[in-house]
Amino acid sequence: MTEKPVKLFKSRKKKSGYENVTGYLFISPFHIGLFCLTLYPIVYSLYLSFTQYDLLGSPTWIGIDNYTRMFTNDDMFWTSMKTTFFYAGVAVPFRLVFALLVALALNKITEMVGLYRTMLYLPSVVGGSIAISIMWRQLFGNDGAFNSFLAILGFPTHSWLGDPDTAIWTLIVLYGWQFGSSMLIFLAGLRNIPKTYYEASAVDGARPIQQFFKITLPLLTPVILFNTIMQVINGFMAFTPSFIVTNGGPMNSTVLFVLYMYRRAFEFFEMGYGSAMAWVMLVIIAALTALIFKSSDKWVHYEGEQK
């Protein structure tokens, strides 16, 4: 009688250990990818940022020379930084506002909402591809569809991609056109706002514009916070439009930071300098994200929270 419970306990213990091993085997691809393809490259790039490395020889330790050169002896670094801040500062609000307006319109539609939502989300699926960037370059070319449309209406045509004053705006419009993901998040936030708030305010005589600023916007601020952070990160990491549509031209007016980092690392084979630029961008994005989170205490409203 005393031996059976012991055997039963041992068999359960062995089975539990076997299940643990099986579980670890199933999640091992994630851990291998995390450590080998994410954490190790991040740490190694930090080391490379203090070296001179041309991809052919061995890295040579040079200390902070890459950072010193970047901040004191590289005019193109500051040009790309200025262009990137302007691009993100205009393109991110443009996309967010446009996505919110479309979400508000979709929230009012009761029929075929799924079809409209899918159609409006498509630009975000294909917008970052090489094919769309090539199409955009053709669209705003000298003989492109946009100039042809202006000519039909009797307006003068313009070299949109050849003018330093307008080339950056074509990239901003392309970024705003890919509003689908932000729109879906806004739409989900709008659907979570109780309709009783609007019904009660309507009884009190509130107009739609008052309901938007007093009910919709405050209750949507957590979603706005999330969308803002995600789009700021995407805006500062933009690469494909600048590389494919304009290739940084004309006159370096569209050289975004990531494009310049790519050129230094893979065209001039200055991998150490490119790694240093990557870490500078990481610090900038982290600082901006921290500032947005810090300011959220003053403008983000959470339902049920008393201030």
Side-chain angles (χ1 to χ4, degrees):
M1 297 294 293
T2 58
E3 294 181 355
K4 291 184 178 180
V6 175
K7 291 183 179 180
L8 181 63
F9 175 76
K10 289 184 178 179
S11 61
R12 288 180 179 178
K13 184 176 181 181
K14 291 181 180 179
K15 184 178 180 180
S16 176
Y18 174 77
E19 291 176 350
N20 289 338
V21 172
T22 304
Y24 286 127
L25 288 176
F26 273 108
I27 65 175
S28 60
F30 168 76
H31 286 102
I32 293 173
L34 175 65
F35 287 102
C36 297
L37 302 179
T38 302
L39 295 181
Y40 174 74
I42 290 175
V43 175
Y44 190 62
S45 69
L46 179 60
Y47 162 73
L48 288 180
S49 68
F50 296 100
T51 66
Q52 183 177 355
Y53 183 42
D54 60 1
L55 293 176
L56 300 177
S58 300
T60 303
W61 183 268
I62 59 174
I64 62 172
D65 287 357
N66 285 327
Y67 295 95
T68 303
R69 170 190 168 191
M70 189 186 310
F71 291 109
T72 61
N73 196 28
D74 190 352
D75 294 334
M76 185 54 64
F77 167 80
W78 294 108
T79 300
S80 64
M81 185 70 70
K82 179 181 177 181
T83 304
T84 303
F85 268 91
F86 175 79
Y87 173 82
V90 177
V92 170
F94 174 62
R95 177 187 281 190
L96 292 176
V97 172
F98 192 65
L100 178 57
L101 294 176
V102 175
L104 288 170
L106 283 179
N107 196 41
K108 300 294 183 181
I109 299 176
T110 56
E111 297 181 358
M112 300 178 66
V113 179
L115 176 62
Y116 295 133
R117 188 169 52 209
T118 303
M119 293 176 61
L120 292 171
Y121 182 68
L122 283 178
S124 291
V125 177
V126 300
S129 65
I130 302 296
I132 294 299
S133 297
I134 295 175
M135 182 201 72
W136 208 259
R137 185 177 62 191
Q138 298 296 327
L139 182 66
F140 285 93
N142 293 334
D143 298 326
F146 193 73
N147 273 337
S148 300
F149 181 72
L150 291 178
I152 293 174
L153 297 179
F155 292 101
T157 60
H158 187 75
S159 179
W160 303 99
L161 300 179
D163 188 348
D165 295 329
T166 58
I168 189 66
W169 290 99
T170 62
L171 304 184
I172 291 173
V173 173
L174 175 58
Y175 186 84
W177 178 66
Q178 305 166 32
F179 64 91
S181 58
S182 301
M183 178 268 298
L184 288 181
I185 296 173
F186 278 134
L187 184 60
L190 291 172
R191 295 290 173 86
N192 286 328
I193 299 178
K195 294 183 179 180
T196 54
Y197 292 169
Y198 297 101
E199 295 171 355
S201 63
V203 172
D204 293 336
R207 298 180 179 180
I209 190 68
Q210 293 175 318
Q211 291 178 338
F212 174 75
F213 285 103
K214 297 296 183 179
I215 299 176
T216 305
L217 205 58
L219 293 181
L220 206 61
T221 48
V223 179
I224 295 175
L225 172 65
F226 174 79
N227 263 337
T228 301
I229 292 175
M230 296 304 297
Q231 296 310 318
V232 165
I233 295 174
N234 291 334
F236 276 90
M237 294 177 60
F239 168 75
T240 303
S242 177
F243 181 60
I244 300 298
V245 179
T246 60
N247 196 23
M251 299 174 60
N252 295 324
S253 60
T254 59
V255 178
L256 298 180
F257 188 89
V258 179
L259 174 60
Y260 182 55
M261 179 179 66
Y262 166 82
R263 287 179 175 177
R264 282 294 175 187
F266 296 101
E267 292 184 6
F268 296 99
F269 298 103
E270 298 180 356
M271 186 59 67
Y273 193 75
S275 298
M277 292 185 63
W279 275 91
V280 169
M281 177 54 65
L282 175 64
V283 172
I284 291 174
I285 292 177
L288 290 175
T289 304
L291 288 175
I292 294 173
F293 268 115
K294 187 66 177 179
S295 65
S296 64
D297 294 337
K298 299 181 180 179
W299 59 275
V300 176
H301 171 79
Y302 295 98
E303 188 176 359
E305 181 183 17
Q306 296 181 355
K307 292 187 177 182

